Amino acid sequence: LLAGEKAWLQLRATTDISKTPLADAVVTVRLASSSGQTQELFSGQTDGQGLCAATFMVPALSENAVILTEVLHAKGAFQHKALVAKKGS
């Protein structure tokens, strides 16, 4: 993920053991900077197959940041963190 660029994530939410798709799971993508600021970049839900495609702009930054992707469902929750690279880094 590159600061100042458009980003695209596609995820598939499933149960741990049986890999059953999780329909209607809430998907949130946030930017969290090293200064403690957070910004929601995407909010949506998975479809009947447990799929969700998220497209968003990663803001241009002068500080370190991560993208937090969170999936919430009655059967469980998942969170993933990815570092944001600065242009020219």
Side-chain angles (χ1 to χ4, degrees):
L1 299 168
L2 187 61
E5 297 288 327
K6 189 174 184 178
W8 182 79
L9 300 173
Q10 182 165 342
L11 60 91
R12 182 171 185 251
T14 63
T15 57
D16 260 349
I17 297 171
S18 68
K19 303 299 182 202
T20 303
L22 294 175
D24 301 320
V26 176
V27 178
T28 307
V29 179
R30 290 185 180 88
L31 176 84
S33 67
S34 57
S35 67
Q37 298 288 332
T38 62
Q39 179 181 351
E40 187 173 290
L41 303 177
F42 174 85
S43 180
Q45 288 187 309
T46 57
D47 65 14
Q49 300 300 311
L51 299 173
C52 181
T55 303
F56 53 91
M57 282 297 297
V58 179
L61 302 166
S62 59
E63 58 191 332
N64 294 325
V66 295
I67 297 290
L68 303 171
T69 303
E70 185 175 53
V71 180
L72 299 173
H73 190 273
K75 294 184 178 181
F78 172 81
Q79 188 178 72
H80 180 264
K81 297 177 184 178
L83 292 175
V84 175
K86 295 180 213 167
K87 285 188 176 181
S89 296

